[in-house]
Amino acid sequence: MKKKIIYEIIAFLFFIALVFGVPIIINECYLKNDGYLTVWDGTDVFAYYASVLSFMGTVTLGIVTVWQNKKSIDINDKLLNLETKSKIGYFIPQHRIKNNNTGVPIIYTHDFERKGITVLGTGNDIINVNKAVVNVNGRVFEDNYRIFVTTADEFRELNIPVELTDDERQLDEIPITLKIYMENSKKYQYIQILELNFKKEPNNHYSLTAFNSNITDDNSQKGA
């Protein structure tokens, strides 16, 4: 901060010397009328110096204008980027449903064999799902999608297939990570990572015991 102040003071003193000092020097040189004699007089020199100052001012103004335009473009890009990311949809794992008779929420059990993992779209925008990468207890596979999911009550369910091996079916708890590649209505591409833990229930159903969610930019799509 101190260096910046020093540079500003030096620039101000240089400007003062340039504007007021040089004309005084020119005037003194022609006042004494000795030394190197020229075919032009003091008036011509002052006119030339004024033209030089005008040119320097024009160039400086042009540089400042370009710099300001660049700053304005950068600010507009940042605001556009914020607006693009301001509305996104995301998924939460289905974890409870209402009993049709009593209306009381009950635990939802995921049927991996029939429906896979059921997730629900939520947030404040539509979701275009492109791909889901599934990690089951360290075993990774993926499914490609072209699915449109809303975040309203209708058409917001997505079932991600999960095929368990015979060894995995014997486990009482199964950690599963979902990496879902998505796009919002403004073409912003992002990834949601869902870390899920399931507990085995009767009839080969699984209940959700814990989950964590994180959303990041889809950098793999940049420049594509």
Side-chain angles (χ1 to χ4, degrees):
M1 191 65 179
K2 291 182 178 179
K3 286 185 178 181
K4 183 180 179 181
I5 295 176
I6 293 174
Y7 291 149
E8 289 177 350
I9 293 175
I10 293 175
F12 177 74
L13 293 176
F14 177 77
F15 174 77
I16 295 297
L18 196 64
V19 174
F20 298 102
V22 174
I24 293 175
I25 294 173
I26 294 174
N27 184 70
E28 289 298 319
C29 289
Y30 278 89
L31 184 65
K32 294 179 180 180
N33 198 26
D34 58 2
Y36 179 70
L37 300 178
T38 64
V39 295
W40 58 83
D41 57 19
T43 303
D44 297 326
V45 176
F46 278 117
Y48 170 75
Y49 183 65
S51 299
V52 171
L53 287 182
S54 177
F55 171 76
M56 292 177 61
T58 302
V59 171
T60 302
L61 182 61
I63 293 173
V64 171
T65 301
V66 171
W67 178 78
Q68 288 180 335
N69 287 340
K70 184 179 183 304
K71 294 291 288 184
S72 178
I73 292 172
D74 290 342
I75 292 174
N76 287 336
D77 288 343
K78 289 180 180 179
L79 291 175
L80 181 61
N81 190 39
L82 288 174
E83 182 183 358
T84 300
K85 298 180 180 181
S86 64
K87 295 184 64 177
I88 62 172
Y90 55 94
F91 290 104
I92 58 173
Q94 176 71 286
H95 61 287
R96 64 181 183 179
I97 58 175
K98 289 185 178 180
N99 186 294
N100 291 332
N101 296 323
T102 64
V104 177
I106 60 176
I107 294 175
Y108 178 87
T109 55
H110 297 258
D111 186 349
F112 293 163
E113 301 294 334
R114 188 171 65 89
K115 297 181 65 176
I117 298 176
T118 302
V119 293
L120 303 176
T122 186
N124 58 4
D125 198 10
I126 63 171
I127 305 172
N128 290 302
V129 182
N130 298 319
K131 181 174 65 174
V133 178
V134 185
N135 186 322
V136 182
N137 201 34
R139 184 172 55 90
V140 179
F141 55 94
E142 68 179 55
D143 283 285
N144 291 320
Y145 293 90
R146 282 297 180 269
I147 297 178
F148 170 82
V149 179
T150 69
T151 54
D153 290 336
E154 296 180 331
F155 310 111
R156 70 184 188 122
E157 183 177 290
L158 175 66
N159 297 307
I160 300 177
V162 175
E163 296 181 2
L164 300 180
T165 64
D166 292 336
D167 291 337
E168 289 166 349
R169 290 190 183 93
Q170 305 305 316
L171 299 175
D172 292 331
E173 291 192 354
I174 301 179
I176 298 178
T177 300
L178 303 178
K179 194 173 184 180
I180 307 174
Y181 292 74
M182 300 177 285
E183 183 178 277
N184 71 354
S185 60
K186 294 184 179 293
K187 304 302 180 182
Y188 166 55
Q189 295 172 326
Y190 57 104
I191 301 171
Q192 181 180 8
I193 300 175
L194 282 164
E195 297 175 346
L196 312 171
N197 193 76
F198 292 94
K199 178 183 177 182
K200 188 175 182 180
E201 302 290 351
N203 301 322
N204 292 321
H205 283 54
Y206 292 83
S207 61
L208 181 70
T209 59
F211 83 94
N212 184 46
S213 176
N214 183 38
I215 293 177
T216 61
D217 293 343
D218 184 1
N219 295 321
S220 66
Q221 299 297 322
K222 291 184 177 180

